[in-house]
Amino acid sequence: DISFDLLKKQKTQSKKLFVMDVEKTAFKQRTIDAVIGSSILHHLDIDKIFPVISEMLKPKGKLIFAEPNMLNPQILIQKNIPFIKKMLGDTPDETAFIRFTLEKKLRQYGFSNIQIRPFDFLHPFIPCFLIKPILKLQNILEKLPIAKEIAGSLIIYAEK
């Protein structure tokens, strides 16, 4: 996590917590069962991080992430128009992913059983009274082949 406040809070609730630069990890090769994260990869250089994760994972180790979907119209605008990106608080190197190119990248770094699924049409600015109806609509949209491609997030699963 890039938030040291959250890391301090987690340290009080967890028996094992490791704080390190993920691109320069101290974990030995093939010692980790799973690497799990939410909204982390889009802050990193995946050409640096995927080889590191690949080296850390045991055989059949799992990679599981939730990341922003570049095919979502709002995310596409937010990540690619500099003044909007800055206005919304994104860092200059922040990005999002297209599932087909991300799958190709994962294969390139030795991952298999890759499953990347678009999900989530619930936006943080949706008023509370609209959440239940939006969730019902989301259940329909996530089943429609073309509509699901513009969901806000991607669930990424792969094995070593």
Side-chain angles (χ1 to χ4, degrees), residues 45-144:
D45 180 341
I46 59 170
D47 287 316
K48 288 182 181 175
I49 195 61
F50 282 170
V52 172
I53 292 172
S54 180
E55 286 291 317
M56 288 189 316
L57 287 173
K58 293 178 181 177
K60 298 293 181 190
K62 293 161 182 45
L63 170 148
I64 305 165
F65 283 90
E67 295 294 331
N69 181 8
M70 187 65 87
L71 295 181
N72 176 274
Q74 180 210 329
I75 291 171
L76 180 71
I77 291 166
Q78 180 177 341
K79 302 297 181 196
N80 292 291
I81 299 177
F83 83 91
I84 292 176
K85 188 175 200 168
K86 185 176 181 178
M87 182 179 68
L88 293 173
D90 283 13
T91 58
D93 59 341
E94 250 179 90
T95 189
F97 300 104
I98 296 172
R99 71 184 182 131
F100 309 107
T101 55
L102 188 59
E103 180 177 353
K104 184 177 177 183
K105 210 46 113 160
L106 285 162
R107 285 194 196 292
Q108 177 184 334
Y109 291 108
F111 291 93
S112 62
N113 194 19
I114 300 165
Q115 300 166 37
I116 303 175
R117 183 178 60 85
F119 82 105
D120 191 21
F121 286 88
L122 192 61
H123 191 278
F125 294 127
I126 291 176
C128 290
F129 73 93
L130 287 176
I131 290 176
K132 282 186 182 180
I134 296 291
L135 288 175
K136 287 180 183 179
L137 178 61
Q138 173 175 293
N139 289 335
I140 296 166
L141 292 174
E142 287 179 356
K143 292 177 181 137
L144 298 174

Side-chain angles (χ1 to χ4, degrees), residues 18-54:
F18 302 97
V19 178
M20 66 187 76
D21 182 336
V22 72
E23 291 177 3
K24 299 171 188 161
T25 182
F27 289 111
K28 294 181 181 173
Q29 291 183 342
R30 300 177 203 350
T31 57
I32 304 296
D33 294 313
V35 176
I36 303 168
S38 179
S39 297
I40 296 170
L41 293 177
H42 74 279
H43 292 278
L44 304 172
D45 180 341
I46 59 170
D47 287 316
K48 288 182 181 175
I49 195 61
F50 282 170
V52 172
I53 292 172
S54 180

